[in-house]
Short mmCIF file of all heavy atoms in Angstrom, two decimals:
data_model
loop_
_atom_site.label_atom_id
_atom_site.label_comp_id
_atom_site.label_asym_id
_atom_site.label_seq_id
_atom_site.Cartn_x
_atom_site.Cartn_y
_atom_site.Cartn_z
N CYS C 36 37.48 -18.99 8.59
CA CYS C 36 37.14 -17.88 9.46
C CYS C 36 38.42 -17.30 10.06
O CYS C 36 39.20 -18.02 10.65
CB CYS C 36 36.20 -18.33 10.58
SG CYS C 36 35.76 -17.00 11.71
N LEU C 132 17.28 -17.73 18.05
CA LEU C 132 18.01 -16.77 18.87
C LEU C 132 17.21 -16.34 20.11
O LEU C 132 17.55 -15.35 20.76
CB LEU C 132 18.40 -15.55 18.05
CG LEU C 132 19.59 -15.82 17.11
CD1 LEU C 132 19.57 -14.89 15.92
CD2 LEU C 132 20.93 -15.70 17.85
N ILE C 156 21.94 -10.00 14.47
CA ILE C 156 22.58 -11.24 14.01
C ILE C 156 21.61 -12.03 13.12
O ILE C 156 21.99 -12.51 12.05
CB ILE C 156 23.05 -12.08 15.21
CG1 ILE C 156 24.26 -11.39 15.84
CG2 ILE C 156 23.40 -13.51 14.79
CD1 ILE C 156 24.61 -11.88 17.22
N PHE C 160 22.33 -13.08 9.23
CA PHE C 160 22.44 -14.47 8.78
C PHE C 160 21.24 -14.93 7.94
O PHE C 160 21.16 -16.07 7.55
CB PHE C 160 22.62 -15.42 9.98
CG PHE C 160 24.03 -15.44 10.50
CD1 PHE C 160 24.45 -14.53 11.47
CD2 PHE C 160 24.97 -16.35 10.00
CE1 PHE C 160 25.75 -14.53 11.94
CE2 PHE C 160 26.27 -16.36 10.47
CZ PHE C 160 26.68 -15.45 11.44
N LEU C 169 31.97 -9.98 10.72
CA LEU C 169 31.26 -10.03 12.01
C LEU C 169 32.02 -9.17 13.02
O LEU C 169 33.17 -9.44 13.33
CB LEU C 169 31.19 -11.47 12.52
CG LEU C 169 30.65 -12.52 11.53
CD1 LEU C 169 30.75 -13.93 12.16
CD2 LEU C 169 29.22 -12.21 11.14
N PRO C 172 30.23 -10.42 17.33
CA PRO C 172 28.88 -11.00 17.28
C PRO C 172 28.42 -11.59 18.61
O PRO C 172 27.23 -11.71 18.84
CB PRO C 172 29.02 -12.10 16.22
CG PRO C 172 30.46 -12.45 16.22
CD PRO C 172 31.20 -11.18 16.54
N THR C 173 29.36 -11.94 19.49
CA THR C 173 28.93 -12.59 20.73
C THR C 173 28.94 -11.65 21.93
O THR C 173 28.62 -12.06 23.04
CB THR C 173 29.83 -13.80 21.05
OG1 THR C 173 31.19 -13.33 21.08
CG2 THR C 173 29.70 -14.88 20.01
N LEU C 176 25.99 -11.16 24.97
CA LEU C 176 25.04 -12.26 24.88
C LEU C 176 25.25 -13.22 26.04
O LEU C 176 26.38 -13.40 26.52
CB LEU C 176 25.24 -13.03 23.56
CG LEU C 176 24.94 -12.30 22.26
CD1 LEU C 176 25.09 -13.25 21.08
CD2 LEU C 176 23.55 -11.69 22.27
N ASP C 177 24.17 -13.86 26.49
CA ASP C 177 24.33 -14.86 27.54
C ASP C 177 24.84 -16.16 26.92
O ASP C 177 24.93 -16.29 25.69
CB ASP C 177 23.01 -15.06 28.29
CG ASP C 177 21.89 -15.52 27.37
OD1 ASP C 177 22.19 -16.23 26.37
OD2 ASP C 177 20.73 -15.16 27.62
N ALA C 178 25.16 -17.12 27.75
CA ALA C 178 25.82 -18.34 27.29
C ALA C 178 25.01 -19.09 26.23
O ALA C 178 25.54 -19.52 25.21
CB ALA C 178 26.10 -19.26 28.48
N ALA C 179 23.70 -19.19 26.46
CA ALA C 179 22.87 -19.97 25.54
C ALA C 179 22.86 -19.32 24.16
O ALA C 179 23.04 -19.98 23.13
CB ALA C 179 21.45 -20.06 26.09
N ASN C 180 22.66 -17.99 24.16
CA ASN C 180 22.60 -17.30 22.87
C ASN C 180 23.95 -17.26 22.19
O ASN C 180 24.06 -17.30 20.97
CB ASN C 180 22.05 -15.88 23.06
CG ASN C 180 20.54 -15.90 23.29
OD1 ASN C 180 19.81 -16.57 22.58
ND2 ASN C 180 20.10 -15.22 24.34
N ARG C 181 25.00 -17.17 23.01
CA ARG C 181 26.36 -17.18 22.47
C ARG C 181 26.56 -18.49 21.72
O ARG C 181 27.10 -18.51 20.62
CB ARG C 181 27.33 -17.06 23.64
CG ARG C 181 28.79 -17.15 23.26
CD ARG C 181 29.65 -16.88 24.49
NE ARG C 181 31.02 -17.29 24.27
CZ ARG C 181 31.47 -18.54 24.43
NH1 ARG C 181 30.64 -19.49 24.83
NH2 ARG C 181 32.73 -18.82 24.20
N GLU C 182 26.06 -19.56 22.29
CA GLU C 182 26.18 -20.87 21.68
C GLU C 182 25.45 -20.91 20.33
O GLU C 182 25.96 -21.43 19.34
CB GLU C 182 25.59 -21.92 22.65
CG GLU C 182 25.73 -23.36 22.19
CD GLU C 182 27.18 -23.75 21.89
OE1 GLU C 182 28.09 -23.29 22.62
OE2 GLU C 182 27.40 -24.50 20.91
N VAL C 183 24.26 -20.31 20.29
CA VAL C 183 23.49 -20.28 19.04
C VAL C 183 24.27 -19.54 17.97
O VAL C 183 24.37 -19.98 16.82
CB VAL C 183 22.12 -19.59 19.27
CG1 VAL C 183 21.37 -19.47 17.94
CG2 VAL C 183 21.29 -20.36 20.28
N VAL C 184 24.85 -18.39 18.35
CA VAL C 184 25.58 -17.58 17.37
C VAL C 184 26.78 -18.35 16.85
O VAL C 184 27.05 -18.37 15.64
CB VAL C 184 26.01 -16.24 18.00
CG1 VAL C 184 26.91 -15.47 17.04
CG2 VAL C 184 24.79 -15.40 18.34
N LEU C 185 27.51 -19.00 17.76
CA LEU C 185 28.68 -19.75 17.32
C LEU C 185 28.29 -20.88 16.37
O LEU C 185 28.98 -21.14 15.38
CB LEU C 185 29.44 -20.30 18.53
CG LEU C 185 30.11 -19.22 19.39
CD1 LEU C 185 30.78 -19.83 20.61
CD2 LEU C 185 31.12 -18.42 18.57
N SER C 186 27.16 -21.50 16.64
CA SER C 186 26.75 -22.58 15.73
C SER C 186 26.32 -22.02 14.38
O SER C 186 26.53 -22.64 13.33
CB SER C 186 25.65 -23.44 16.36
OG SER C 186 24.48 -22.69 16.49
N LEU C 187 25.74 -20.80 14.39
CA LEU C 187 25.41 -20.15 13.12
C LEU C 187 26.68 -19.89 12.30
O LEU C 187 26.70 -20.07 11.08
CB LEU C 187 24.67 -18.82 13.36
CG LEU C 187 23.18 -18.90 13.70
CD1 LEU C 187 22.66 -17.52 14.10
CD2 LEU C 187 22.37 -19.46 12.53
N ILE C 188 27.72 -19.45 13.02
CA ILE C 188 28.99 -19.19 12.33
C ILE C 188 29.55 -20.49 11.77
O ILE C 188 30.03 -20.55 10.62
CB ILE C 188 30.00 -18.52 13.29
CG1 ILE C 188 29.48 -17.16 13.72
CG2 ILE C 188 31.37 -18.38 12.63
CD1 ILE C 188 30.31 -16.48 14.81
N GLU C 189 29.47 -21.54 12.56
CA GLU C 189 29.97 -22.84 12.09
C GLU C 189 29.19 -23.34 10.88
O GLU C 189 29.77 -23.86 9.92
CB GLU C 189 29.91 -23.87 13.23
CG GLU C 189 31.06 -23.67 14.22
CD GLU C 189 30.85 -24.41 15.54
OE1 GLU C 189 29.73 -24.90 15.79
OE2 GLU C 189 31.82 -24.48 16.31
N GLU C 190 27.87 -23.14 10.91
CA GLU C 190 27.05 -23.52 9.75
C GLU C 190 27.48 -22.75 8.51
O GLU C 190 27.57 -23.30 7.41
CB GLU C 190 25.56 -23.20 10.01
CG GLU C 190 24.83 -24.25 10.83
CD GLU C 190 23.44 -23.76 11.23
OE1 GLU C 190 22.84 -22.97 10.47
OE2 GLU C 190 22.98 -24.15 12.32
N ALA C 191 27.72 -21.42 8.71
CA ALA C 191 28.12 -20.58 7.58
C ALA C 191 29.44 -21.06 6.99
O ALA C 191 29.61 -21.14 5.78
CB ALA C 191 28.21 -19.12 8.01
N LYS C 192 30.36 -21.40 7.89
CA LYS C 192 31.65 -21.92 7.41
C LYS C 192 31.45 -23.22 6.64
O LYS C 192 32.03 -23.42 5.58
CB LYS C 192 32.58 -22.20 8.60
CG LYS C 192 33.25 -20.96 9.15
CD LYS C 192 34.07 -21.30 10.40
CE LYS C 192 35.31 -22.14 10.04
NZ LYS C 192 36.06 -22.50 11.26
N ILE C 198 34.82 -15.81 6.29
CA ILE C 198 34.39 -14.93 7.36
C ILE C 198 35.58 -14.21 7.97
O ILE C 198 36.63 -14.80 8.21
CB ILE C 198 33.67 -15.75 8.48
CG1 ILE C 198 32.44 -16.45 7.88
CG2 ILE C 198 33.27 -14.87 9.66
CD1 ILE C 198 31.76 -17.43 8.81
N PHE C 202 36.52 -10.76 17.67
CA PHE C 202 35.98 -11.43 18.85
C PHE C 202 36.81 -11.04 20.05
O PHE C 202 38.01 -11.31 20.09
CB PHE C 202 36.08 -12.96 18.71
CG PHE C 202 35.33 -13.53 17.54
CD1 PHE C 202 35.92 -13.65 16.30
CD2 PHE C 202 34.02 -13.98 17.70
CE1 PHE C 202 35.24 -14.20 15.23
CE2 PHE C 202 33.33 -14.54 16.63
CZ PHE C 202 33.94 -14.65 15.39
N ASP C 204 35.89 -12.20 22.88
CA ASP C 204 35.64 -13.43 23.61
C ASP C 204 36.61 -14.50 23.09
O ASP C 204 36.44 -15.06 22.01
CB ASP C 204 34.16 -13.79 23.34
CG ASP C 204 33.78 -15.15 23.87
OD1 ASP C 204 34.65 -15.85 24.39
OD2 ASP C 204 32.60 -15.47 23.74
N GLU C 205 37.68 -14.74 23.87
CA GLU C 205 38.75 -15.62 23.38
C GLU C 205 38.30 -17.04 23.13
O GLU C 205 38.70 -17.67 22.14
CB GLU C 205 39.92 -15.64 24.37
CG GLU C 205 40.88 -14.48 24.14
CD GLU C 205 42.06 -14.55 25.10
OE1 GLU C 205 42.61 -15.66 25.25
OE2 GLU C 205 42.39 -13.51 25.70
N ALA C 206 37.44 -17.55 24.00
CA ALA C 206 36.97 -18.93 23.84
C ALA C 206 36.22 -19.08 22.53
O ALA C 206 36.42 -20.05 21.79
CB ALA C 206 36.06 -19.30 25.02
N ALA C 207 35.40 -18.07 22.24
CA ALA C 207 34.65 -18.10 20.98
C ALA C 207 35.61 -18.07 19.82
O ALA C 207 35.46 -18.80 18.83
CB ALA C 207 33.70 -16.91 20.92
N ARG C 208 36.60 -17.16 19.92
CA ARG C 208 37.57 -17.02 18.84
C ARG C 208 38.27 -18.35 18.58
O ARG C 208 38.38 -18.80 17.44
CB ARG C 208 38.59 -15.95 19.24
CG ARG C 208 39.48 -15.49 18.11
CD ARG C 208 40.70 -14.77 18.64
NE ARG C 208 40.34 -13.66 19.52
CZ ARG C 208 41.19 -13.12 20.39
NH1 ARG C 208 42.42 -13.59 20.52
NH2 ARG C 208 40.81 -12.14 21.16
N ASP C 209 38.70 -18.99 19.65
CA ASP C 209 39.42 -20.26 19.50
C ASP C 209 38.55 -21.33 18.87
O ASP C 209 39.01 -22.16 18.09
CB ASP C 209 39.91 -20.76 20.87
CG ASP C 209 40.97 -19.83 21.42
OD1 ASP C 209 41.53 -19.04 20.61
OD2 ASP C 209 41.21 -19.84 22.64
N ARG C 210 37.24 -21.24 19.16
CA ARG C 210 36.37 -22.30 18.65
C ARG C 210 36.08 -22.16 17.16
O ARG C 210 36.13 -23.14 16.44
CB ARG C 210 35.06 -22.27 19.44
CG ARG C 210 34.07 -23.29 18.93
CD ARG C 210 32.94 -23.51 19.90
NE ARG C 210 31.74 -23.85 19.16
CZ ARG C 210 30.53 -23.84 19.68
NH1 ARG C 210 30.37 -23.45 20.95
NH2 ARG C 210 29.49 -24.17 18.96
N VAL C 211 35.80 -20.95 16.69
CA VAL C 211 35.36 -20.84 15.29
C VAL C 211 36.45 -20.36 14.33
O VAL C 211 36.32 -20.55 13.13
CB VAL C 211 34.13 -19.91 15.14
CG1 VAL C 211 32.93 -20.52 15.85
CG2 VAL C 211 34.43 -18.52 15.66
N CYS C 212 37.52 -19.74 14.86
CA CYS C 212 38.48 -19.13 13.94
C CYS C 212 39.62 -20.08 13.59
O CYS C 212 40.13 -20.80 14.44
CB CYS C 212 39.06 -17.86 14.53
SG CYS C 212 37.79 -16.61 14.71
#
Side-chain angles (χ1 to χ4, degrees):
Chain C
C36 179
L132 284 154
I156 288 165
F160 281 88
L169 309 176
T173 55
L176 295 184
D177 60 31
N180 285 313
R181 176 175 166 276
E182 184 56 37
V183 175
V184 173
L185 292 177
S186 67
L187 280 172
I188 296 173
E189 283 165 348
E190 278 171 31
K192 280 175 70 182
I198 300 172
F202 299 89
D204 172 357
E205 275 182 45
R208 192 197 306 161
D209 293 343
R210 177 166 149 195
V211 295
C212 294

